[in-house]
Amino acid sequence: MSRKYLAFLGTNEYLECYYTLQHKATSEPCRFIQEALIRVFCQNWTKEDSILIFTTNEAKQKNWESCYFGERYIGLQDRLSQLHLTCISSQIDIQEGDCVESLWKIFDTVFEHIGDQDELIFDMTYGFRSLPMLALIILNYAKFIKNCTLAGIYYGAFETLGPVHAVKKKPVKERIAPVFDLTPFVSLFDWTVGIDRFLNTGDASVIASLTNEVIPQILKESDNQYLEHTSNLRKIVQAIFNFSQNSVMCRRKELAYSALTIPEYLEQAILSSKQILKPLTPLLKTMQERFQAFAPDQELANMFQIVRWCLDRNLIQQGLTLLYEGIITELNKRLGLRGETYHERQIVTTAIRLMKMNNPTGLSEQFYARYHLTFEDVQQCFPEPSAQFLSSFETLRQARNAINHGGSRKKASFFRQSLKQSLEKLEGLFLRAGQPGQPVL
């Protein structure tokens, strides 16, 4: 693990100017944006860190090495040596990039100079044709393959000073070019991955991680100006993360609560995201559409929606378990029981099994007397027609048991199909007569 500064060097004749980064000008004029950025970021780097300048043969001759453009022109190599840095500065040869094959060779060259868990700063000012875009692809590839982090990506906008012939006529002290910090734009790749992962798999860990990284930076740069906005975002991201975790871990009771907290925090969070973290806004609006039907007084409908969320995101084992346990809980409620103990839940599961076997006398009177119930009481809590319920629940029970015990005799497709069929049939049986419970997840 080390810090690395990477840049492509071009072939143009570069003019001296001052560069400004975050409204702070470089201490002295430079011809090369690399020198300006290295002065800012690399002064305290150690021997473990390195500066990597990638050049074609022409760029090496014209700008890495000192040469003459009518007068002596000190190259970047000599300029960096005058900084007396502790870290190593290296020039690395690359091809011209004039065909697909050479672009792949450039890709390989840059990538092989990036180590595991390196912290990268990239300057995309110079270079030609497709090199800046290629560099972005390499950086994102390195983040996934080598677990690297992107500390910053910068562009020195010399062209804002005007045409080169006009800039030459200006005194150097009037040549002040801005450096654009493009890191937030590049982070859109990460947000895209995070949002896509959550919407398609239910995993909110990337979103939570990104938010936790970005919010402290926002507060620092704004001198805590956005405390209220960041608080709103923390609440909604935590709510989304909790819902995600509870879904994966089948935390039935916590799921109902976490699902209801999302709509509660969404409205303010959307407004706040527009102010300080725009990549989150589309995600939050999508969440608003998908969670708006959750309501405190619709526990059963909420349960079916959560199961459909699992089905649509291929969380099949979770969906089967949550649907099975949710049905047992609902039947316990209809009996006036809380359904939180093994014995209470066994009343329902045993009665279902015996009815399926057409053996209603299989339970002793003492079994029911404990809860002041009769077999008929249990039977009447089942939705009608009871034969359809028993058949659908048996399909669910078999799939749930098989998947939770490895399901070695069942194909993977069996479990998904079983969940889909059980959800549709049981939802239809339980949510009718004026409460269709239309899933929105």
Side-chain angles (χ1 to χ4, degrees), residues 196-216:
D196 179 74
R197 181 176 296 182
F198 178 64
L199 294 180
N200 288 286
T201 71
D203 179 9
S205 59
V206 174
I207 297 168
S209 176
L210 288 170
T211 305
N212 290 335
E213 291 174 7
V214 170
I215 284 181

Side-chain angles (χ1 to χ4, degrees), residues 252-392:
R252 180 173 51 84
K253 295 179 183 178
E254 292 88 343
L255 254 175
Y257 174 77
S258 59
L260 290 171
T261 59
I262 291 176
E264 178 183 347
Y265 295 135
L266 268 172
E267 194 64 43
Q268 290 301 318
I270 290 173
L271 296 175
S272 293
S273 67
K274 291 179 181 178
Q275 296 295 319
I276 60 174
L277 203 53
K278 290 184 179 180
L280 262 182
T281 305
L283 167 66
L284 298 180
K285 286 185 176 180
T286 302
M287 290 301 96
Q288 193 171 44
E289 295 171 2
R290 298 188 180 187
F291 281 81
Q292 63 184 354
F294 277 102
D297 58 346
Q298 296 293 326
E299 182 177 343
L300 182 60
N302 291 344
M303 184 273 290
F304 284 118
Q305 291 183 50
I306 290 170
V307 173
R308 191 170 297 279
W309 167 274
C310 292
L311 173 64
D312 291 344
R313 282 145 193 86
N314 215 33
L315 301 173
I316 305 303
Q317 184 171 14
Q318 291 87 341
L320 287 167
T321 300
L322 290 168
L323 182 57
Y324 179 90
E325 299 297 340
I327 295 299
I328 301 300
T329 298
E330 172 61 19
L331 295 177
N332 268 265
K333 284 179 60 181
R334 294 185 178 192
L335 290 170
L337 303 175
R338 298 179 65 183
E340 294 182 357
T341 69
Y342 168 77
H343 291 291
E344 288 178 349
R345 302 180 77 78
Q346 191 182 34
I347 285 179
V348 171
T349 56
T350 305
I352 291 174
R353 177 170 56 83
L354 292 176
M355 285 189 66
K356 183 69 177 175
M357 296 168 58
N358 197 26
N359 182 21
T361 61
L363 290 180
S364 66
E365 288 299 320
Q366 289 80 5
F367 186 89
Y368 295 108
R370 178 177 181 178
Y371 298 98
H372 305 287
L373 295 170
T374 65
F375 181 82
E376 287 72 21
D377 292 331
V378 180
Q379 186 177 11
Q380 288 175 7
C381 79
F382 298 156
E384 294 292 340
S386 60
Q388 287 188 21
F389 164 71
L390 293 171
S391 175
S392 299

Side-chain angles (χ1 to χ4, degrees), residues 125-140:
T125 307
Y126 301 148
F128 60 99
R129 300 188 183 101
S130 57
L131 287 185
M133 179 177 291
L134 181 63
L136 290 177
I137 296 171
I138 294 171
L139 291 175
N140 277 281

